[in-house]
Amino acid sequence: EVQLVESGGGLVQAGGSLRLSCAASGFTFSEYSMDWVRQAPGKGLEWVSLIYSEGGGGRTYYADSVTGRFTISRDNAKHTVYLQLNSLKPEDTAMYYCVGYGPFNYWGQGTQVTVSS
C-alpha cells in the first residue's frame, strides 16, 4: 500500500520556523521526484517546491513566493522528504501536501501550517 504521511505542521508566529516531513512507503522513493504543494483557505493549489530523484540529480526548485525562505531536502535511506520553512508569513498559512511524481503520482493527506501575525 502506498502511503505519504506528512507531519510537522502547526501554529507559529510570523517570522518563525517549522520543519515539515513526509514519510513515504509502498513505492521506490528514490526514483520519484517529490513536490510540496499547498492550499490556502478558499484558494486553489499552489506549487511550492520540487526535488528531483537521485537519477535526476536531486535538483531543487522553488516558487518565487518562497525562494530564500523555504528549503526542500530528501533522505532516500529514510524514504522521507523535508521542507524547512523559515521567516514564515501569514500568507504561508495553508494545508501543505507532499506529492510523489513518477510512473504514478501519489499524494499525502496534508499537514496544516498556520502563521499568526
Side-chain angles (χ1 to χ4, degrees):
E1 179 188 4
V2 172
Q3 282 193 317
L4 288 173
V5 180
E6 299 96 333
S7 61
L11 174 63
V12 64
Q13 288 188 331
S17 298
L18 287 171
R19 189 193 195 203
L20 307 184
S21 299
C22 173
S25 60
F27 63 100
T28 309
F29 178 78
S30 62
E31 295 181 359
Y32 276 65
S33 297
M34 299 299 297
D35 289 53
W36 286 95
V37 176
R38 67 186 181 185
Q39 187 168 28
K43 296 189 177 181
L45 291 170
E46 177 189 13
W47 173 78
V48 174
S49 184
L50 156 71
I51 185 165
Y52 275 104
S53 64
E54 218 171 32
R59 290 167 292 168
T60 60
Y61 296 91
Y62 300 93
D64 289 344
S65 59
V66 306
T67 296
R69 300 188 298 121
F70 291 7
T71 303
I72 191 171
S73 61
R74 66 191 295 162
D75 185 331
N76 289 328
K78 294 183 178 180
H79 295 185
T80 301
V81 60
Y82 304 97
L83 188 67
Q84 178 68 41
L85 288 62
N86 295 332
S87 303
L88 281 161
K89 304 175 181 179
E91 51 263 44
D92 294 318
T93 294
M95 184 71 79
Y96 284 71
Y97 301 91
C98 69
V99 187
Y101 283 100
F104 302 94
N105 298 335
Y106 304 117
W107 286 72
Q109 84 292 344
T111 187
Q112 178 67 40
V113 172
T114 303
V115 185
S116 62
S117 56

